[in-house]
Every structure is written in C-alpha cells, then in structure tokens.
C-alpha cells in the first residue's frame, strides 16, 4: 500500500496505472498511520515538506490518495475469508 501526496491533483489520471492498482479512500487507521509516519519523518529529518503537511494537516489530508495493488487486495480478501472460515 502506498500513500501518495497528490499536490497537483493529476496522479490518478496521468501517473497511475489503474489496471494494476485501486485508488481507495483513506480510512481512520490510514489517517493515523500517515500522521505518525510523517511526524516521525519530520523528527528525524526536519523536512520542510513534512512540517508543511503537519501544519496544514486537514488541507494536506485531502490531497493524499491510497494506492493498493489489485493482487494485494485480492490476497488480503482470501486471507480474511480463510480466517473467517476457520472461526
């Protein structure tokens, strides 16, 4: 899974092979994961971009897209089905 900051708004249309990946909405777990990772990145690197994203969190959050490989999503669904069948 990749989280892409699409600042220009053209990632899906011009820079993404949508035959191989799905673009999914961010869920609450994704949002918290992103915040932690970006905060940690800023702490280690003092990145100006990371600081800007954190300072403008709500606005920046709307620019992130979640990219999930189709095969990976299929594998997760199979695993979930197997776990459900085993319960």
């Amino acid at each position: 899974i990749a989280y892409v900051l699409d600042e220009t708004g053209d990632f899906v249309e011009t820079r993404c092979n949508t035959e191989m990946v799905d673009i999914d909405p961010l869920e609450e777990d994704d949002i918290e994961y992103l915040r932690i990772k970006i905060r940690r990145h800023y702490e280690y690197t003092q990145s100006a971009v990371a600081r800007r994203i954190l300072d403008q969190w709500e606005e920046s959050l709307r620019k992130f897209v979640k990219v999930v490989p189709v095969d990976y999503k299929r594998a997760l669904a199979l695993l979930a089905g197997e776990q459900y069948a085993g319960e």
Side-chain angles (χ1 to χ4, degrees):
I1 296 175
Y3 300 95
V4 177
L5 180 61
D6 184 13
E7 293 188 284
T8 59
D10 67 345
F11 175 76
V12 174
E13 295 81 18
T14 63
R15 297 183 281 150
C16 181
N17 181 351
T18 55
E19 291 179 15
M20 301 204 52
V21 298
D22 286 336
I23 305 299
D24 290 350
L26 294 178
E27 298 173 3
E28 286 300 318
D29 289 347
D30 298 316
I31 293 168
E32 185 59 24
Y33 175 81
L34 274 173
R35 187 188 297 255
I36 290 168
K37 291 297 183 180
I38 294 168
R39 187 180 305 129
R40 188 172 297 153
H41 175 69
Y42 175 74
E43 290 169 0
Y44 288 127
T45 67
Q46 301 299 303
S47 162
V49 174
R51 180 77 264 156
R52 178 176 47 85
I53 290 169
L54 292 168
D55 287 346
Q56 302 169 1
W57 181 247
E58 291 303 318
E59 180 182 333
S60 296
L61 196 54
R62 290 190 293 269
K63 297 177 183 178
F64 275 97
V65 294
K66 180 179 178 180
V67 182
V68 184
V70 172
D71 289 339
Y72 181 67
K73 189 182 274 188
R74 190 176 308 126
L76 288 177
L78 286 172
L79 284 173
E82 289 174 5
Q83 288 177 350
Y84 177 74
E87 290 180 352

